[in-house]
Amino acid sequence: VHLEEKSKNAEYMKKLQIQERAVEEVKLAIKPFYQNREITKDEYKDILRKAVQKICRSRSGEINPVKVANLVKAYVEKYKHMRKYKKTETSEESHEWRMYSENPEYSQTA
């Protein structure tokens, strides 16, 4: 019975170490984007959480800094895109209307 507890504890500690290493790698990769104000503090937290979860759930179990950097970059691009379109667009229809009204080809005054 004690061996089971020890192995569970060892497994838990191993997972914790992997998670801590993943957090450090993601922080390293995300830092330049945050320092250049490309992402907000809330976006930083969201990306950190999502990236660490994804890395820890990967099948390989390895933490490859290049892959982590690419993952973080993809998340940053996604969040920048979401922010850009969330502010200006409330629905698909308003987006289409804006395109119609801003395009000189479709403008009725042209």
Side-chain angles (χ1 to χ4, degrees):
V1 179
H2 291 303
L3 287 175
E4 277 184 37
E5 283 183 30
K6 282 186 179 181
S7 68
K8 281 184 182 178
N9 193 27
E11 219 175 284
Y12 173 75
M13 291 306 288
K14 186 180 177 191
K15 282 183 182 178
L16 202 61
Q17 285 175 335
I18 291 170
Q19 188 174 0
E20 285 173 2
R21 190 156 162 256
V23 168
E24 291 308 310
E25 286 294 335
V26 171
K27 281 183 179 180
L28 270 173
I30 202 173
K31 191 175 181 180
F33 297 107
Y34 185 67
Q35 285 179 330
N36 293 336
R37 297 173 188 248
E38 292 182 49
I39 54 172
T40 66
K41 188 176 184 179
D42 286 334
E43 290 168 342
Y44 175 96
K45 289 188 223 175
D46 281 351
I47 293 169
L48 182 66
R49 190 178 329 105
K50 287 182 179 182
V52 168
Q53 279 182 349
K54 192 160 190 162
I55 292 164
C56 291
R57 289 182 181 157
S58 73
R59 291 175 187 227
S60 67
E62 67 167 336
I63 299 173
N64 182 336
V66 176
K67 287 183 179 181
V68 171
N70 286 336
L71 177 67
V72 167
K73 186 177 179 186
Y75 271 125
V76 168
E77 292 302 318
K78 178 182 175 183
Y79 274 77
K80 284 166 67 176
H81 182 80
M82 282 171 32
R83 187 178 348 118
K84 183 179 176 183
Y85 288 102
K86 194 187 287 183
K87 281 184 180 176
T88 57
E89 186 178 321
T90 54
S91 70
E92 201 64 32
E93 293 161 7
S94 68
H95 178 67
E96 288 172 8
W97 171 252
R98 196 172 53 253
M99 284 177 55
Y100 177 80
S101 63
E102 290 174 358
N103 192 334
E105 285 181 27
Y106 298 112
S107 141
Q108 293 178 356
T109 56

